[in-house]
Amino acid sequence: MKKAVLAAVAAAAVAAAALIPSGPAVQAAETATHSAPRGFGSALSSVEQPSWQTNASVNALAAAGDLVFAGGLFTRVRPPGKARGVGDVARKYFVVLNRTTGVPTRFAPSVNGPVWSVAASPDGRRVVIGGDFTVVDGVPRSRVAMFDVASGKLVAGWDPVVNYRVAALKVTASTVYLGGSFGAVDKIGRARLAAVALGTGALLPWNPGADDDVHAIEVSTDGARVFVGGGFTTIGGRDQHALAMLSARTGAVMPMPAAAAIPPKSDECDSRVKDLEVQGNKVFASNAGTNSMQCYDGVLAADSATGKLLWQSKCLGATEAIVAIGNWLYKGSHAHDCSADGEFPDKTGMHHLLVYSTITGKLGPWFPNTDAGGTTLVGPLAFASGGTDLWAGGDFTAVNGKPQEGLTRFNGVPGGAAPARPAAPKLASARPNKVTIAFDTVLDRDNLTLTYLVYRGETRIGSWSRTSNSWTKPTVTSVTDSGLTSGQTLTYYVEASDGRNVSRSPAATVRVR
């Protein structure tokens, strides 16, 4: 997982600040409920925040302190809202941005090949990139390289030689775990998994080995267990498909009952774990299936000590990225059918950005969207968070219907998306001294439940709470206003409120019978 690092030591933070333009402080995102007055129901607003964009896919993201690191296939970056070639600058395969402003920093190393993985050390002092490159800043670096965050320079002497792509990274206080498609490190056999020392880059004895590509690596909170995701069917000499839990000390395979929730590899279905996230005593895994439209593409949660399955979502549409913030698990996918979970059915469009409750696995109130404008037909491919925000990278070209290529971000600053404007209420006066008012529910991108207030002139006659989804028909609510005077002409309107934002309908008039 391209996991967030929440803290950097003071010396690194001070030095890094000299590299970046000043910006507003990052505001904390709270764990919210549907009734939260901040105007949205999960930890984040669905309103995208300004960020520079790329000219091709972003494959990997990490966050440390006030910096965000993005790697991919891009060669240039440009300001938000700008078309390709307008105001762009060179950032080949790797860019470092200010997390509070979305603007590139002067930390701009030269990399000669695509970057497929990025991870930061727990203290924020180091960032490691992996991919297909062989030269960084004019110095030989074979598919993996480490930078000093404060200076933006390569760490001298840290130079493991990996013979093929590094697609997954995880950095702990002492170790850098590598995963990918490689077969050797420093000319010593290491089948798609390896570990090197954080301080020196020396190859460590840890050597479980996998028979197919590794896409994701995570480590338990206590550092005792390593979670590995990919397309393998054998790991550590044992039959285990797509998801495994290993000893961080020996590399031995440990029981992972939750892996049984992923279907065995077959000609009809090859479901691979594409991302992992650890939060407290839970580990989350996301899958992308191939060879069949019905192949498992979902997300599962397991106990990070026992490997026991806690919950599972079986939405269809490859899930490439996940990140946990508070009690919410955000996912990037091309989900098109969640009917197996009792949610939206097929043919309701692509839902590229969604959120689940980390506790129940139920879909939550967060519905921004991207397109899938690139070659993967997924859209979002990588996530990172500093704990109060979400950065999403991929091969999309639009966010919430507006042009934005490759990179976007969301945060928890109060406000959120406003409810859609309600239609004018439908009025009738079929009985003396009474008016019936009927109104339809509307949608809000970051709330499921809204409050509807009905007004006669400037007098509020009542309020009603209604829940609605984009994939269901609007609910019609009919109310009666009584005790009116026959012959009056009255005006009514409806307001939809999410607790902070209010949208008002056009007014409608009726003559009282």
Side-chain angles (χ1 to χ4, degrees), residues 41-376:
S42 73
L44 301 174
S45 164
S46 69
V47 178
E48 71 282 6
Q49 300 299 311
S51 167
W52 277 49
Q53 49 187 327
T54 61
N55 68 345
S57 175
V58 171
N59 301 326
L61 289 165
D66 202 32
L67 298 177
V68 170
F69 308 92
L73 306 182
F74 55 87
T75 57
R76 302 189 72 81
V77 297
R78 64 189 187 276
K82 301 295 185 181
R84 284 191 184 188
V86 179
D88 62 356
V89 297
R91 288 293 190 276
K92 201 169 183 180
Y93 307 123
F94 185 56
V95 63
V96 183
L97 303 105
N98 183 324
R99 185 174 144 235
T100 61
T101 66
V103 176
T105 71
R106 293 190 293 275
F107 183 166
S110 172
V111 183
N112 78 335
V115 172
W116 292 93
S117 51
V118 185
S121 61
D123 62 8
R125 288 180 179 269
R126 299 284 188 262
V127 63
V128 182
I129 63 172
D132 297 333
F133 52 84
T134 56
V135 177
V136 178
D137 285 344
V139 178
R141 285 294 185 269
S142 186
R143 283 96 185 181
V144 66
M146 178 185 286
F147 298 95
D148 176 77
V149 171
S151 67
K153 296 184 180 300
L154 271 176
V155 174
W158 198 93
D159 58 351
V161 176
V162 186
N163 74 336
Y164 207 66
R165 177 179 296 172
V166 174
L169 288 165
K170 176 63 183 181
V171 183
T172 71
S174 62
T175 304
V176 179
Y177 292 95
L178 316 176
S181 311
F182 54 85
V185 178
D186 292 340
K187 297 183 179 180
I188 298 173
R190 287 293 187 269
R192 302 175 181 86
L193 282 166
V196 299
L198 174 66
T200 66
L203 183 64
L204 300 176
W206 193 79
N207 182 25
D211 70 339
D212 204 338
D213 290 354
V214 169
H215 304 305
I217 303 175
E218 260 295 351
V219 175
S220 61
T221 304
D222 62 7
R225 296 168 298 285
V226 178
F227 301 97
V228 178
F232 50 83
T233 56
T234 301
I235 189 169
R238 296 181 58 177
D239 291 340
Q240 187 93 6
H241 175 48
L243 177 63
M245 181 165 64
L246 311 175
S247 166
R249 185 174 62 85
T250 67
V253 178
M254 304 173 75
M256 186 73 180
I262 301 170
K265 185 176 180 179
S266 68
D267 291 341
E268 291 74 34
C269 178
D270 180 7
S271 181
R272 297 169 171 243
V273 170
K274 300 304 291 289
D275 203 2
L276 293 165
E277 169 82 327
V278 167
Q279 184 193 54
N281 62 355
K282 294 185 178 74
V283 56
F284 305 94
S286 67
N287 279 59
T290 63
N291 304 345
S292 169
M293 288 294 289
Q294 298 300 311
C295 190
Y296 176 63
D297 289 320
V299 177
L300 63 80
D303 185 287
S304 63
T306 67
K308 179 182 177 181
L309 183 69
L310 301 176
W311 56 258
Q312 183 179 25
S313 166
K314 297 182 179 180
C315 287
L316 295 175
T319 304
E320 297 282 343
I322 51 175
V323 70
I325 303 173
N327 289 332
W328 302 100
L329 183 72
Y330 294 83
K331 83 164 186 174
S333 70
H334 67 271
H336 59 88
D337 185 353
C338 287
S339 55
D341 296 341
E343 303 290 354
F344 55 82
D346 205 1
K347 299 181 181 179
T348 58
M350 295 292 185
H351 306 259
H352 294 285
L353 295 169
L354 293 169
V355 69
Y356 295 100
S357 163
T358 59
I359 300 168
T360 66
K362 299 298 183 183
L363 204 62
W366 190 71
F367 301 101
N369 213 354
T370 71
D371 65 354
T375 58
T376 68

Side-chain angles (χ1 to χ4, degrees), residues 476-489:
V476 179
T477 300
S478 294
V479 299
T480 300
D481 190 15
S482 303
L484 306 174
T485 302
S486 179
Q488 281 183 304
T489 297

Side-chain angles (χ1 to χ4, degrees), residues 419-431:
R421 189 185 190 194
K426 297 176 182 177
L427 308 177
S429 183
R431 291 177 292 173

